[in-house]
Amino acid sequence: MIRCAIIDDEQHAIDVLKVHISRVPGMILEYESTNPIEALHYVRQHDIDLIFLDIQMPELNGMQFLNLLHEKT
């Protein structure tokens, strides 16, 4: 099983990705968030294999998010 997370500040983008993930055998959506700060805490504490990450978000952009997860990427 590939455990996925979606982190995007736009809910409609999350909804589209959820549909696509649900169609892929072996993929399970474990987490979704429009808040990158909350998502950072979640991802640090859980085993996630694949993150669908928006690059342009307020508060914390996708590249900053990845840099803060350097030990897990």
Side-chain angles (χ1 to χ4, degrees):
M1 251 333 147
I2 298 173
R3 296 175 305 260
C4 302
I6 303 171
I7 304 163
D8 196 312
D9 62 320
E10 298 178 18
Q11 185 62 48
H12 72 276
I14 291 174
D15 295 340
V16 169
L17 283 168
K18 284 169 62 173
V19 170
H20 290 292
I21 290 169
S22 72
R23 294 178 179 165
V24 178
M27 262 190 186
I28 184 166
L29 180 60
E30 289 211 357
Y31 182 76
E32 65 181 81
S33 180
T34 58
N35 184 318
I37 304 297
E38 289 176 8
L40 182 62
H41 294 294
Y42 182 89
V43 171
R44 282 182 169 163
Q45 296 174 2
H46 296 85
D47 289 328
I48 299 295
D49 301 310
L50 177 64
I51 299 174
F52 294 91
L53 179 62
D54 187 11
I55 297 299
Q56 295 181 338
M57 295 183 287
E59 299 177 40
L60 184 67
N61 71 44
M63 298 311 291
Q64 293 167 324
F65 186 96
L66 284 178
N67 287 332
L68 292 170
L69 281 181
H70 62 86
E71 73 279 356
K72 291 193 82 165
T73 56

